[in-house]
Amino acid sequence: KQEVTQIPAALSVPEGENLVLNCSFTDSAIYNLQWFRQDPGKGLTSLLLIQSSQREQTSGRLNASLDKSSGRSTLYIAASQPGDSATYLCAVRDDYKLSFGAGTTVTVRA
Amino acid sequence: SAVISQKPSRDICQRGTSLTIQCQVDSQVTMMFWYRQQPGQSLTLIATANQGSEATYESGFVIDKFPISRPNLTFSTLTVSNMSPEDSSIYLCSVEFRDQYQETQYFGPGTRLLVL
């Protein structure tokens, strides 16, 4: 059974600092890995998807890396802003289903 | 991408009653998924619903407790039956889009359920 772990569980940084969010998974036979953002009282917003054959994906200030062999992914958010405050979820897909981590709750202080 | 809506957005229910949650997608999709997010926890897949076939339930979830309908390619319902306070969660539906390069899941806004 796939187990997904996210560290740290919570993070508080001053505005402008870079964010580093970690995700690890136990079974490296994944199809892809997806990072989501969840705002309080809202659903999930897809941020980045990395295929198993890829090493990284970038979108604006966001960059996600994937090391499938070691079962790790890292989400980097450059020059954080208060609007980046949210819970970030990592999910790995194997076969047909997504397995989620518990998330990292980020607070960016103005 | 997809625009996914859910009804109701939230509800407070008495134990022993049932609630049906609706999920509507603005385009046709083959696979729809129902997830549960219990307070302070991450998402857990309840079942996968494909149009024209019985839903496939994950370990720990049964059809009698969470019956699902999938009458067409844009709509699904999840019923939470004989509710207890332990069923208090956010319930989210999700759809998957496939193109030649990748498969991406998109989520609805969720239904927040409180059972008293």
Side-chain angles (χ1 to χ4, degrees), chain B residues 14-116:
Chain B
Q14 297 298 318
R15 70 168 65 216
T17 62
S18 298
L19 176 71
T20 296
I21 302 168
Q22 299 178 5
C23 178
Q24 180 77 51
V25 188
D26 68 344
S27 51
Q28 294 183 340
V29 293
T30 301
M31 297 181 77
M32 295 181 77
F33 306 86
W34 286 98
Y35 288 83
R36 180 175 74 181
Q37 186 176 29
Q38 293 179 300
Q41 299 188 29
S42 193
L43 282 75
T44 302
L45 180 64
I46 298 172
T48 303
N50 292 335
Q51 194 268 336
S53 63
E54 293 289 324
T56 303
Y57 289 82
E58 295 298 302
S59 175
F61 298 96
V62 295
I63 187 170
D64 289 345
K65 176 67 176 177
F66 297 102
I68 289 171
S69 77
R70 182 80 202 275
N72 57 52
L73 290 172
T74 63
F75 187 79
S76 178
T77 67
L78 170 76
T79 298
V80 187
S81 303
N82 188 27
M83 289 184 285
S84 67
E86 292 71 36
D87 294 319
S88 297
S89 295
I90 301 173
Y91 292 86
L92 300 105
C93 76
S94 169
V95 302
E96 179 178 87
F97 278 99
R98 300 182 179 190
D99 60 26
Q100 62 184 109
Y101 303 111
Q102 62 190 27
E103 299 161 333
T104 308
Q105 282 202 7
Y106 298 93
F107 285 78
T111 295
R112 283 148 190 81
L113 172 61
L114 176 63
V115 184
L116 302 177

Side-chain angles (χ1 to χ4, degrees), chain A residues 23-94:
Chain A
C23 172
S24 62
F25 46 95
T26 54
D27 187 346
S28 62
I30 65 170
Y31 195 75
N32 61 43
L33 183 146
Q34 202 164 350
W35 283 94
F36 295 89
R37 168 182 172 142
Q38 185 174 31
D39 293 283
K42 303 281 182 67
L44 276 66
T45 302
S46 178
L47 297 174
L48 289 168
L49 182 147
I50 312 176
Q51 296 285 28
S52 62
S53 59
Q54 297 175 319
R55 298 283 295 187
E56 66 176 352
Q57 278 288 343
T58 299
S59 176
R61 294 185 294 113
L62 276 61
N63 174 273
S65 66
L66 174 64
D67 184 343
K68 199 174 72 158
S69 60
S70 67
R72 296 176 189 274
S73 176
T74 302
L75 178 66
Y76 300 90
I77 303 177
S80 61
Q81 304 168 358
D84 294 329
S85 298
T87 296
Y88 292 83
L89 297 168
C90 161
V92 297
R93 179 186 167 132
D94 41 30

